[in-house]
Amino acid sequence: AQKITQTQPGMFVQEKEAVTLDCTYDTSDQSYGLFWYKQPSSGEMIFLIYQGSYDEQNATEGRYSLNFQKARKSANLVISASQLGDSAMYFCAMREGLVDKIIFGKGTRLHILP
Amino acid sequence: GAGVSQTPSNKVTEKGKYVELRCDPISGHTALYWYRQSLGQGPEFLIYFQGTGAADDSGLPNDRFFAVRPEGSVSTLKIQRTERGDSAVYLCASSEQGGETQYFGPGTRLLVL
């Protein structure tokens, strides 16, 4: 079974609209961390936001927020007021327990339309 | 401050050759990770160093792949007898000791002809 599932291979969104990128995860660990990374066409992986499994509040970083629904094992990324520069590949990822490696999903390609 | 740097940015080699990929982590970061990203996929874990030692090398696909970090800073990923299937982007990341976030370098694009 996949550990990280991103069901939207691609999305098209009008500039200035909010966008939600879906992510579900699968783990039996009680302690884990969830990440979102952005990968523009230039290729670098840019860290966006982190949510720990014990964090009660949803993480927020500027225009990014993580909608963490623990019971549903869901960690959707919400980008408010999208901009043309948000066009990129977005990866959801998870660190399980005390293991340090990160497991990535297959990604969602986001296109922001002017 | 300076981020993670990787050299070369691109490497083209022939099947059967040996290649070395270098990663220079963020200064002071004790943890270093190598990932491989094939076209259209998310990165896949290869190996993790804490200081000089490889704490987890479970992602290395076979014994043609080896990595070192002799002084606990710069790391080199070594691939022997390269195969066309090794073509991918090799990403390096680093984090602070106990830190949650891994910061990635720009990657090395390896093409094996």
Side-chain angles (χ1 to χ4, degrees), chain A residues 32-33 35 37 39-47 49-50 52 89 91 95 99-107, chain B residues 31 33 35 37 40-45 48 50 56 58-59 89 91 95 99-107 109:
Chain A
Y32 53 90
F35 305 80
Y37 284 85
Q39 189 174 43
S41 55
S42 52
E44 75 269 32
M45 295 285 285
I46 302 168
F47 166 74
I49 198 165
Y50 167 79
M89 196 75 171
F91 290 98
R95 173 194 53 77
V99 175
D100 283 86
K101 65 185 177 187
I102 291 178
I103 302 166
F104 287 82
K106 291 184 182 296
Chain B
Y33 311 79
Y35 293 82
Q37 186 175 20
Q41 302 293 318
E44 293 180 317
F45 170 78
Y48 153 58
Q50 184 59 254
D56 182 354
S58 62
V89 176
L91 293 164
S95 69
E100 293 292 354
T101 302
Q102 296 180 21
Y103 296 93
F104 283 78
R109 283 170 173 74

Side-chain angles (χ1 to χ4, degrees), chain A residues 63-93:
Chain A
R63 294 187 298 113
Y64 304 108
S65 60
L66 198 152
N67 184 0
F68 182 44
Q69 298 188 38
K70 197 169 183 177
R72 298 178 62 184
K73 294 189 174 177
S74 166
N76 297 342
L77 177 71
V78 180
I79 307 174
S80 63
S82 58
Q83 302 170 357
L84 295 178
D86 294 334
S87 294
M89 196 75 171
Y90 288 80
F91 290 98
C92 179

Side-chain angles (χ1 to χ4, degrees), chain A:
Chain A
Q2 290 213 14
K3 292 281 188 177
I4 296 288
T5 302
Q6 295 181 252
T7 56
Q8 308 149 309
M11 287 187 70
F12 289 83
V13 173
Q14 206 68 41
E15 188 181 10
K16 298 180 184 173
E17 289 184 352
V19 56
T20 298
L21 304 181
D22 295 341
C23 174
T24 57
Y25 59 91
D26 181 24
T27 182
S28 55
D29 282 313
Q30 295 301 308
S31 175
Y32 53 90
L34 297 157
F35 305 80
W36 278 91
Y37 284 85
K38 172 184 178 181
Q39 189 174 43
S41 55
S42 52
E44 75 269 32
M45 295 285 285
I46 302 168
F47 166 74
L48 295 178
I49 198 165
Y50 167 79
Q51 178 89 39
S53 58
Y54 294 117
D55 296 340
E56 295 188 353
Q57 302 275 359
N58 284 345
T60 59
E61 289 285 350
R63 294 187 298 113
Y64 304 108
S65 60
L66 198 152
N67 184 0
F68 182 44
Q69 298 188 38
K70 197 169 183 177
R72 298 178 62 184
K73 294 189 174 177
S74 166
N76 297 342
L77 177 71
V78 180
I79 307 174
S80 63
S82 58
Q83 302 170 357
L84 295 178
D86 294 334
S87 294
M89 196 75 171
Y90 288 80
F91 290 98
C92 179
M94 175 175 65
R95 173 194 53 77
E96 291 184 288
L98 298 176
V99 175
D100 283 86
K101 65 185 177 187
I102 291 178
I103 302 166
F104 287 82
K106 291 184 182 296
T108 294
R109 184 165 296 282
L110 176 63
H111 303 270
I112 305 298
L113 304 172

